[in-house]
Amino acid sequence: FGERRVVPSMQPQIMAYAIEALRASGFERVAVTVNGDEQRYRDALGDGSALGVSITYLRETAPQGTAGCLRAALAAGMPGPLLVVNGNLVFSADLQDLIRTHRREGALATIAITKTGSGSPVRQQRERVRVGPDGSLQGLQVDYRGMDDEDICWRLLGIYLFEPEALRRIPARGYYDLKEQFLPLLVGSGDRVLTFNQVAEAYTSR
């Protein structure tokens, strides 16, 4: 596959499950963002051969945020879309279906979403996702203080697919958040930002 994968770093054991799920979907190359705990992840995951993949480690010298850390992947000259998966996410999802849908729709970015109360044991988060009738992302509001559960119909699953053109819009320096800054920027650009309704089992580690 032409896409590169970046898994933001969390607990190595949980990340191993995420990497195994990627391998089960046919992915063979994974890039893991790391910081001062780099050696701990290298000790646990190695070069990825035990998990059936090839792992590249991208080191952050300072916190860059969930979108800022993607600059390293863009600088690496990836040839195609970048699949981003939260490193604390254990999931069972048809990622190839997401990629096919993304390509068919000509999207700049595609984000996996799930219905609130759909039976998925994903931990509830305070984010309001507005989806248009054509499946496009119309808006994303993150407010951890002022939202009631009944206000939330959709939530992000933690799986994203970005075209290189989208990543080039990330500011060159500084901390940059994916949900609070990057996705609203893309929605406001007028380009196609697609949602992918994924109800497969998933949960985040606590």
Side-chain angles (χ1 to χ4, degrees):
F1 300 99
E3 302 82 8
R4 286 184 62 89
R5 278 60 55 182
V6 169
V7 184
S9 57
M10 292 293 292
Q11 294 297 326
Q13 297 85 352
I14 299 299
M15 189 182 298
Y17 284 108
I19 292 174
E20 287 174 351
L22 290 170
R23 180 67 186 93
S25 293
F27 300 111
E28 298 177 350
R29 294 178 297 152
V30 175
V32 180
T33 60
V34 294
N35 44 46
D37 291 335
E38 178 178 355
Q39 194 57 50
R40 183 160 65 103
Y41 291 97
R42 287 185 178 275
D43 291 343
L45 303 174
D47 63 0
S49 57
L51 298 171
V53 300
S54 173
I55 295 179
T56 299
Y57 295 89
L58 305 176
R59 186 173 185 180
E60 287 185 318
T61 57
Q64 299 185 61
T66 50
C69 70
L70 305 181
R71 298 182 187 107
L74 184 61
M78 61 181 187
L82 177 75
L83 180 69
V84 180
V85 179
N86 287 356
N88 64 336
L89 183 68
V90 180
F91 62 93
S92 173
D94 187 348
L95 299 179
Q96 289 302 317
D97 191 22
L98 183 151
I99 293 170
R100 285 192 295 269
T101 302
H102 172 87
R103 288 173 168 166
R104 184 180 67 245
E105 296 292 329
L108 180 70
T110 297
I111 64 173
I113 60 175
T114 188
K115 274 275 192 181
T116 301
S118 65
S120 171
V122 178
R123 182 175 60 182
Q124 183 69 30
Q125 295 184 9
R126 301 295 183 179
E127 55 197 35
R128 183 185 290 115
V129 179
R130 291 193 294 108
V131 179
D134 61 348
S136 63
L137 179 66
Q138 297 292 302
L140 173 64
Q141 178 186 355
V142 180
D143 184 346
Y144 294 94
R145 298 168 297 175
M147 256 183 239
D148 296 325
D149 289 351
E150 56 265 26
D151 292 332
I152 306 170
C153 296
W154 297 96
R155 70 172 303 278
L156 303 181
L157 191 58
I159 301 173
Y160 314 87
L161 188 64
F162 298 113
E163 290 292 327
E165 177 188 345
L167 299 179
R168 283 192 284 270
R169 302 182 188 184
I170 297 174
R173 295 179 179 83
Y175 186 95
Y176 206 63
D177 187 81
L178 195 153
K179 292 193 292 186
E180 297 186 21
Q181 295 172 286
F182 187 37
L183 288 178
L185 173 74
L186 296 182
V187 170
S189 71
D191 291 294
R192 179 78 159 144
V193 180
L194 186 67
T195 63
F196 181 82
N197 183 9
Q198 177 62 61
V199 296
E201 181 179 354
Y203 67 89
T204 52
S205 65
R206 288 167 171 77

